[in-house]
Amino acid sequence: MSKLTHLDHKGDAHMVDVSDKQATKRRALAGGSITMSAEAFEALADEKVAKGNVLGIARIAAIQGAKQTANLIPLCHPLPLSKVGVEFTLVPEEKRVDVEVTATTVNVTGVEMEALTGVSVALLTIYDMLKAVDKRMEISHIRLLQ
């Protein structure tokens, strides 16, 4: 097993020193899904949700979430993001929405956590906007893809 870099010689958590690393272009792609009832999926797909355009608001939420990662995950470095891309795929036969978030920066550390946070916040936003229709929605498969 590799050495855990977020622990010091005493075993205490700390932010890793990346000051000696060279800045390079970093990109990460993460994905996740939310499955829902036929009624909720139809409301989303037909844009008939009282709270507004679900996927439009979830896209903004994903971008905001990615930008706030260092405020949410204690040992993450704050990163200036060059781009956050958000894609949604509707899967009608499974009443599912797939979300993919790409985070890009030029920096000394990766953007995996930003991409994963963006996906998580997008999915939570979809849940929030549709919970009046279906409280049994299931968020799943949040993972790093690249």
Side-chain angles (χ1 to χ4, degrees):
M1 180 161 64
S2 62
K3 183 180 177 224
L4 298 175
T5 58
H6 284 84
L7 301 177
D8 66 13
H9 67 282
K10 297 183 293 186
D12 295 328
H14 70 100
M15 183 182 272
V16 174
D17 182 359
V18 294
S19 59
D20 290 333
K21 295 174 81 177
Q22 294 295 314
T24 59
K25 184 174 183 180
R26 311 286 182 128
R27 181 181 168 279
L29 173 65
S33 302
I34 185 166
T35 306
M36 60 196 68
S37 68
E39 182 183 6
F41 189 86
E42 183 178 318
L44 178 143
D46 294 343
E47 296 186 26
K48 295 192 188 260
V49 177
K51 289 184 176 184
N53 179 323
V54 174
L55 298 183
I57 294 168
R59 180 181 314 281
I60 299 300
I63 295 166
Q64 287 181 319
K67 290 167 45 176
Q68 292 298 315
T69 300
N71 293 327
L72 300 169
I73 310 295
L75 301 179
C76 281
H77 294 86
L79 298 177
L81 296 173
S82 305
K83 179 172 175 55
V84 177
V86 183
E87 296 296 327
F88 298 101
T89 303
L90 301 182
V91 186
E93 60 276 5
E94 296 184 28
K95 310 299 182 257
R96 188 181 80 227
V97 179
D98 294 336
V99 180
E100 288 188 351
V101 172
T102 305
T104 307
T105 191
V106 176
N107 214 294
V108 297
T109 189
V111 287
E112 297 88 350
M113 295 307 297
E114 287 72 12
L116 288 162
T117 300
V119 167
S120 300
V121 173
L123 292 168
L124 288 168
T125 299
I126 293 168
Y127 184 96
D128 180 54
M129 294 192 70
L130 292 169
K131 69 185 178 210
V133 181
D134 179 9
K135 286 186 175 39
R136 299 188 60 152
M137 288 176 281
E138 187 173 305
I139 293 171
S140 62
H141 299 100
I142 297 172
R143 69 226 179 265
L144 187 66
L145 299 170
Q146 293 179 347

